[in-house]
Amino acid sequence: MNVSIEILEFPLYIKNKILRIKNITKLNIEYIAGKNIVFNHSNLGLNEPHKIIISNNTQGIVLLCYDDDSNLYNEDLSDTITITELASIVEYLLKEN
């Protein structure tokens, strides 16, 4: 089975939202672009979300986001993470560092 993978460009507006959080630049931030995976000669495909990994030296959090959605989600997609909640998480990570 042939598979086509298209790497998506990470949304700039999400990066800007995150970088506005106070002191977040003191942590390690990694942005991983999402992918569109298409199984050729079928009507099946997958949309892998963009990932944001924010960590200090000992702990971290993985957030997911989609191109057509301005929300951030936790790693298992069970909860939406607001920017206010993310700011609290950043404060906790900075204290633990």
Side-chain angles (χ1 to χ4, degrees), residues 8 11 13-14 47 50 65-71 73:
L8 304 172
Y13 70 94
I14 296 289
N47 185 2
H50 303 288
C65 67
Y66 291 92
D67 271 343
D68 56 350
D69 191 351
S70 63
N71 293 320
Y73 299 93

Side-chain angles (χ1 to χ4, degrees), residues 79-94:
D79 289 322
T80 303
I81 307 293
T82 65
I83 294 297
T84 305
E85 291 170 333
L86 184 55
S88 297
I89 293 168
V90 166
E91 284 297 316
Y92 174 77
L93 290 173
L94 286 169

Side-chain angles (χ1 to χ4, degrees), residues 25-37:
T25 55
K26 295 179 181 178
L27 297 172
N28 302 319
I29 305 172
E30 184 179 357
Y31 300 99
I32 301 171
K35 299 174 189 160
N36 279 333
I37 303 168

Side-chain angles (χ1 to χ4, degrees), residues 16-93:
N16 290 337
K17 269 183 166 180
I18 291 170
L19 291 174
R20 283 190 222 133
I21 296 173
K22 182 180 176 184
N23 294 326
I24 198 163
T25 55
K26 295 179 181 178
L27 297 172
N28 302 319
I29 305 172
E30 184 179 357
Y31 300 99
I32 301 171
K35 299 174 189 160
N36 279 333
I37 303 168
V38 178
F39 300 97
N40 297 334
H41 308 296
S42 75
N43 62 349
L44 300 175
L46 300 170
N47 185 2
E48 183 179 317
H50 303 288
K51 294 179 185 170
I52 305 148
I53 303 170
I54 302 171
S55 63
N56 60 18
N57 295 329
T58 59
Q59 297 181 33
I61 183 171
V62 177
L63 302 172
L64 305 176
C65 67
Y66 291 92
D67 271 343
D68 56 350
D69 191 351
S70 63
N71 293 320
L72 299 173
Y73 299 93
N74 65 352
E75 195 169 13
D76 64 1
L77 298 173
S78 62
D79 289 322
T80 303
I81 307 293
T82 65
I83 294 297
T84 305
E85 291 170 333
L86 184 55
S88 297
I89 293 168
V90 166
E91 284 297 316
Y92 174 77
L93 290 173

